[in-house]
Structure formats: structure tokens, C-alpha cells
Amino acid sequence: MGVVVTDAEVTLADVLSLRLAIDEPLEEGTELVLRHRTTGVERDVLLGTPGARAREATLAVSLEPLRLTAGRWDTYLRHEGKRSRLRSVDPGFSLDHLDAYALCRRTLAYRSYRTRNGYLALKISEADPVAEVRSIWFREGRFEVMGLLAYTGLEDDDSRHEAVLTLDRRQNGARLTATATVQGVRFHAAVSLVDVLAADPEGAAGSGTWEPALQVADVPTALRLGSRLDDVDGKRRRLHYPSARVDGVLIKPCYTADDELRIEVGG
């Protein structure tokens, strides 16, 4: 089948919307097949009856009824037992769309994308409420971070919410807190680097890791700081921020393998 995806998007209603460039109409009985890349589990959807001869076709598939699980799903077209992987020329990435999508409270987050080899795939993740990091910097002796709250259900308006930034050092249970600003779903928080060292004077001389989180009024759980609403995988290896030194102690932000933010002290 000469079929190429020219436009792919998961809508705010979790509907996979596709525009296809086709050599000839899809044959009756053609199915869209989604295959989990790790487990091999498959879900299939019978497509509509073929229309008139045209160079384009559109598809809309509701994803929630398919009971898809977290992970990456590859896409195929299948007809009479023969299937071909669905090619795509659409990178499937829009930061504005991802921001709008993340405003709703969800259980799973669905995202369409083009693989490195040029095929359409879906990435499905657990959609726990998080504080999505957009900017990090050191200035005037402080660590500062800005971003937006994702999957909390809060409105993107001018309303203000009381909030506190916490930093926890898992090695010994030390905790540091600082007031944060939240307006709508946008947040800003800052903490003195001197206070970071003073909160754990014994650990400052050696290596230690602080885990930041945001506690926001009207949100029942603490929000981990991380960065997932983009197309950069493996941020621990790929994304590096400037570091700072306070009293000779190195302090630098970094990411875990799960793209959660950490503050590393010493080492």
C-alpha cells in the first residue's frame, strides 16, 4: 500500500487524527494495527469503507477504548493478513499543543511522533501531576526555576495559588523549603544556595543529591520537578546546565534517567 502520513496529532479528546497521502483508496477491510514495542500486544481498528478515488484520506481513531498501556506503540496497516508499517513525514511535535494538552487532568498521556526511521508511532505515559521545568539558572547566589503545572486540572488564568518549593536530601532526610509563586499554571521558585549548604553542613563537604518538589494549594499531592513535555529523551546525557560554586562547593542541576530534576552538591 502506497500510504504516507502527512499530518498526525492526538487531539485534546485523545483521538488520533491522521491525514494520509495515498496512491489509491484504502481497500475495504483495511485495519489500523497498534503494536506495543516491548510486549508485542496488539490492538486493531477496522477502518471505514473506502471512499471515492482521491490523493488524500483522513482517519480519526479514539484511543481510550483501545485500552492501550504505557510504552511505545508502532503503527501498521493490515489487509487480508498482510500488513505494512505506516510511514510518516510529520515529526508530530508542537510545544504549544503539548502545553494545551497537559492542562487537563488525565490518567494517560498520548503522543504521536515520527521514529528515527520515518514511521508513525505513539508514546504513552502515565499522566501524574508534575511541575514541568522550562527554565533553570543560577543568579545572585540563588537557584531559580520556572515552568508550568501539568495534568493538575488547574486553569491557565491569573489566579494565584499558595505554593512552597521543597528540597529533600534522601541520604539523611534533610529538608529545605522556600516560598514559590504560582499564577494559573505557571510557577517560579528560588532558593538561596547558601541555605542549601547550611541545611546540611555535614553533607556539603561531600557529594549529595537534593530532590526538588512543589507543594501547591488545591493540588493534593506534591509535584515532582521534571521535564517531559518535549521531544528530548535522555536529558541526563543530553542536557547540561551551568554550575555554581559556593564556598568552594560545586552545585549543579541535572536530570535522572526518568527526566526528573535533581540538585547535586559536591562530588
Side-chain angles (χ1 to χ4, degrees):
M1 285 181 271
V3 180
V4 177
V5 175
T6 58
D7 185 75
E9 179 184 55
V10 176
T11 70
L12 300 183
D14 290 334
V15 172
L16 177 61
S17 176
L18 302 177
R19 180 178 292 115
L20 310 176
I22 55 178
D23 293 337
E24 56 187 38
L26 299 177
E27 299 181 80
E28 187 173 0
T30 299
E31 297 171 298
L32 176 69
V33 179
L34 301 175
R35 185 177 189 274
H36 195 282
R37 193 174 296 173
T38 302
T39 66
V41 170
E42 293 186 355
R43 300 284 189 266
D44 55 73
V45 179
L46 181 63
L47 303 181
T49 56
R53 182 172 295 277
R55 303 297 294 178
E56 288 189 340
T58 57
L59 300 175
V61 178
S62 181
L63 296 174
E64 185 176 357
L66 298 180
R67 306 187 314 278
L68 304 176
T69 56
R72 296 181 186 263
W73 294 73
D74 295 310
T75 62
Y76 301 82
L77 289 181
R78 181 171 63 197
H79 182 259
E80 295 182 346
K82 297 181 180 179
R83 70 181 185 182
S84 58
R85 199 166 174 187
L86 195 50
R87 290 194 171 276
S88 176
V89 295
D90 180 10
F93 175 73
S94 166
L95 187 59
D96 289 340
H97 173 76
L98 292 180
D99 284 357
Y101 185 85
L103 291 181
C104 298
R105 184 179 284 111
R106 303 176 183 277
T107 303
L108 292 175
Y110 304 86
R111 186 190 306 179
S112 62
Y113 71 100
R114 183 183 60 189
T115 69
R116 293 181 181 179
N117 294 327
Y119 296 101
L120 177 69
L122 291 179
K123 179 182 178 181
I124 303 177
S125 308
E126 302 289 342
D128 297 325
V130 296
E132 178 74 11
V133 173
R134 285 293 159 79
S135 300
I136 294 174
W137 62 93
F138 290 124
R139 63 181 177 185
E140 298 179 353
R142 298 180 301 177
F143 164 74
E144 297 192 40
V145 58
M146 294 179 62
L148 78 159
L149 309 182
Y151 309 123
T152 63
L154 295 178
E155 297 292 334
D156 187 10
D157 54 22
D158 292 331
S159 60
R160 291 183 175 272
H161 307 271
E162 293 184 1
V164 174
L165 175 71
T166 64
L167 284 84
D168 290 294
R169 191 168 188 265
R170 180 172 296 181
Q171 291 90 339
N172 62 3
R175 166 169 283 201
L176 177 65
T177 63
T179 301
T181 301
V182 174
Q183 182 171 331
V185 295
R186 315 291 163 172
F187 74 88
H188 171 266
V191 62
S192 165
L193 298 179
V194 172
D195 290 346
V196 172
L197 298 186
D200 185 18
E202 294 183 0
S207 61
T209 302
W210 293 82
E211 301 178 2
L214 203 62
Q215 297 181 349
V216 182
D218 304 321
V219 178
T221 59
L223 306 178
R224 293 290 189 184
L225 271 65
S227 183
R228 297 185 177 90
L229 301 184
D230 55 32
D231 61 345
V232 181
D233 292 325
K235 292 183 178 63
R236 184 170 183 83
R237 293 179 289 104
R238 299 184 180 186
L239 198 58
H240 301 283
Y241 293 104
S243 58
R245 285 189 179 274
V246 178
D247 295 334
V249 179
L250 180 67
I251 303 177
K252 62 179 181 180
C254 66
Y255 285 99
T256 68
D258 295 327
D259 291 338
E260 288 192 356
L261 182 66
R262 296 290 186 268
I263 308 299
E264 292 187 348
V265 177

